[in-house]
Amino acid sequence: QVQLVESGGGLVQPGGSLRLSCAASGDAFTRAWYRQAPGKARNIVAAISWSGGSTYYSDSVKGRFTISRDNARNAVYLQMNSLKPEDTAVYFCAAKYGSNLHGGYDYWGQGTQVTVSS
């Protein structure tokens, strides 16, 4: 079992930055960030392999968000720059033991709210 706890969400003005963190109680091979806006489906934002050598970003965040990890701390991060109001959502950390970056995540955090508004 892997337990995930997110932190770092909050209110930020358009154009601002936030850094989300996800701490894991155990080791997991592949990690990702998803987000869910009110009334919408939960969608993947970014994912990273165990080594950090492979990453994935959705088109909507490519060039603005950066996913990284620190395996010594079992932690993964999401640096979010140039934030837009449409980035407003609950952000979830996810993990799994498989190597495919796209979907099939088994473990989820409780979510952290990110609100981009002036």
Side-chain angles (χ1 to χ4, degrees):
Q1 282 286 347
V2 177
Q3 293 183 330
L4 304 171
V5 179
E6 303 97 336
S7 61
L11 174 64
V12 63
Q13 292 186 342
S17 298
L18 278 177
R19 187 189 191 218
L20 304 183
S21 299
C22 176
S25 62
D27 196 9
F29 195 68
T30 303
R31 306 284 289 274
W33 288 97
Y34 280 69
R35 68 185 181 187
Q36 186 170 20
K40 296 188 177 180
R42 187 178 299 188
N43 293 313
I44 192 168
V45 173
I48 188 167
S49 63
W50 168 256
S51 68
S54 295
T55 56
Y56 165 82
Y57 296 95
S58 67
D59 288 342
S60 61
V61 306
K62 201 172 294 183
R64 299 188 297 122
F65 291 11
T66 303
I67 189 170
S68 61
R69 65 188 298 161
D70 182 345
N71 290 340
R73 291 180 169 83
N74 287 336
V76 66
Y77 309 99
L78 186 68
Q79 178 66 43
M80 305 185 294
N81 299 328
S82 303
L83 283 161
K84 305 174 181 180
E86 50 264 42
D87 294 317
T88 296
V90 178
Y91 284 70
F92 296 89
C93 178
K96 66 175 182 179
Y97 290 104
S99 59
N100 189 335
L101 297 181
H102 304 278
Y105 287 87
D106 300 306
Y107 304 101
W108 295 87
Q110 81 288 350
T112 185
Q113 177 71 45
V114 172
T115 302
V116 184
S117 175
S118 55

